[in-house]
Amino acid sequence: MTARKKRARRSPIPWVPILWGAVILNVATGLFFSRLTALTSVRVVGASGFDEGRIRRTFESVSNVPWSQVRGKVIETEIQAGDGVDRASYSQNLFGRAVLRIEGRRAVARIAQSGLLLAPDGAIYRGSTAGTVPTVVLPDSALTLNGTLVGAWEAAPIAELCRDLRETFPKSAWIVEVGPTGVISLRVDRKGRIILGSSDALDSKLKKLTEILGSRPDLPSRVRQIDLTAPENPVVVPLPVP
């Protein structure tokens, strides 16, 4: 008796799930690249009024771009290019709704002649600030007729000094003056002048000033000037005798 070879039975092809999978994939692909997913609304958090125009132009450039083709990192980079922006984060969903969160720079001083602000890293920008910050008075050689900053002056050390002054004496309205030769001096509440000299050893000079004002807070109003060019040997110049 010869054995008959049995043919292997083929399983039926599951056409229903395959077709449904194809439909779902087709719909998902369509949505992925469809303009129906383009940006429809943006909630902006933390923006300065000075940045409104630039932010609007950034989003106008992607207004008709499908969600899948919008590069959030590119938008963040463009927003962070603003002088008054420290960092930005952007998120957008499939339904065209987005959120842009902006963390602005925190000014440590205001430039007197121009209305510009000084950031902790020495960057200059337009914006607004809350609370009292020191005022920096620059020499005429550092300014043009329209108030634009030019010339060489040590922005970063001045910014660090202003930050430390605000932290150490938060209730005082400090004026930081930079002379034509780079000599730095301080005034507070229109009192006597405090000469710091160059930007060298500013931390030591501020430390000595803190010690002096800690024991005699009224000293600047009673003298013509306090010279801290050599902080280990401060020189006090009295007011002229009437």
Side-chain angles (χ1 to χ4, degrees):
M1 180 178 176
T2 59
R4 293 182 178 179
K5 294 182 179 180
K6 295 183 178 179
R7 293 182 179 180
R9 298 181 62 184
R10 296 180 179 179
S11 300
I13 298 176
W15 289 109
V16 173
I18 290 176
L19 290 174
W20 274 112
V23 170
I24 293 173
L25 180 61
N26 186 54
V27 172
T29 302
L31 284 175
F32 200 67
F33 294 101
S34 172
R35 289 189 176 184
L36 293 175
T37 65
L39 192 64
T40 58
S41 65
V42 183
R43 182 164 65 93
V44 181
V45 180
S48 165
F50 292 94
D51 278 329
E52 287 182 0
R54 191 170 58 84
I55 292 172
R56 186 182 304 110
R57 289 190 295 272
T58 297
F59 286 115
E60 284 175 354
S61 67
V62 296
S63 60
N64 292 316
V65 178
W67 166 75
S68 63
Q69 298 176 32
V70 175
R71 299 293 179 259
K73 291 299 180 183
V74 174
I75 292 178
E76 291 174 356
T77 300
E78 291 182 3
I79 299 300
Q80 288 173 179
D83 291 338
V85 178
D86 186 22
R87 65 186 53 157
S89 62
Y90 178 77
S91 62
Q92 179 180 335
N93 63 25
L94 185 63
F95 304 102
R97 291 189 288 272
V99 178
L100 174 66
R101 300 184 185 276
I102 296 175
E103 185 176 332
R105 290 181 182 270
R106 295 186 178 183
V108 294
R110 186 185 307 276
I111 309 298
Q113 299 99 314
S114 65
L116 298 173
L117 299 177
L118 183 62
D121 60 357
I124 306 295
Y125 67 99
R126 294 190 180 277
S128 58
T129 183
T132 302
V133 295
T135 299
V136 176
V137 180
L138 298 175
D140 293 338
S141 59
L143 298 163
T144 63
L145 292 177
N146 62 2
T148 304
L149 297 180
V150 296
W153 64 285
E154 298 178 296
I158 295 297
E160 186 175 350
L161 172 63
C162 291
R163 182 202 63 195
D164 293 342
L165 283 171
R166 189 183 187 190
E167 292 177 355
T168 307
F169 308 100
K171 296 182 180 180
S172 299
W174 288 97
I175 298 175
V176 180
E177 299 176 349
V178 181
T181 60
V183 173
I184 303 169
S185 60
L186 309 175
R187 292 185 185 275
V188 58
D189 300 328
R190 301 184 181 277
K191 297 176 182 178
R193 189 179 181 211
I194 302 168
I195 301 175
L196 301 181
S198 71
S199 61
D200 295 336
L202 281 177
D203 52 347
S204 298
K205 296 170 183 177
L206 183 59
K207 182 179 180 181
K208 176 57 67 175
L209 177 62
T210 304
E211 292 175 2
I212 292 173
L213 298 185
S215 58
R216 296 191 60 185
D218 62 338
L219 185 61
S221 63
R222 296 181 177 274
V223 299
R224 183 177 180 180
Q225 70 180 35
I226 304 172
D227 192 334
L228 298 176
T229 303
E232 69 282 357
N233 186 29
V235 177
V236 177
V237 180
L239 289 170
V241 178

